[in-house]
Amino acid sequence: MHFYKIVQNHISSISLYEDKEIKMIKDIYSVEPMHLLIILKEHIEKLTNCNNKHIMLLVKIILLVSDMANKYGFGYKISSNGN
């Protein structure tokens, strides 16, 4: 529910990237120096629900994370919040 409110700008956030499919924000509660959250604008309940129409979206996320890691000089891992 909070993620929906962030995407709709009902909850303020530190936005680092946004387009019609995703929004990337800085996690303001992180104990790490840099922890980014990527919020999909289309609700996909589980990664196992992804299909061929999501391929380019998943590639975009991986490339965006890699670009941000290079820009800000940090390592990264990608994980999913869900099943």
Side-chain angles (χ1 to χ4, degrees), residues 21 42 44 46-60:
E21 298 174 304
E42 173 189 351
I44 302 172
K46 303 177 193 178
L47 280 175
T48 55
N49 292 348
C50 289
N51 55 46
N52 287 341
K53 77 174 190 168
H54 298 108
I55 290 172
M56 293 310 297
L57 175 62
L58 296 170
V59 169
K60 179 195 288 189

Side-chain angles (χ1 to χ4, degrees), residues 14-45:
I14 301 170
S15 183
L16 300 175
Y17 177 87
E18 184 169 8
D19 65 21
K20 65 181 180 157
E21 298 174 304
I22 61 177
K23 181 170 187 159
M24 176 185 277
I25 63 170
K26 186 171 181 185
D27 182 355
I28 61 173
Y29 298 111
S30 176
V31 295
E32 299 295 326
M34 180 65 80
H35 184 233
L36 306 178
L37 302 172
I38 298 173
I39 306 167
L40 301 178
K41 292 185 178 180
E42 173 189 351
H43 179 71
I44 302 172
E45 189 170 335

Side-chain angles (χ1 to χ4, degrees), residues 57-69:
L57 175 62
L58 296 170
V59 169
K60 179 195 288 189
I61 290 168
I62 291 167
L63 293 175
L64 178 62
V65 169
S66 179
D67 287 347
M68 288 294 175

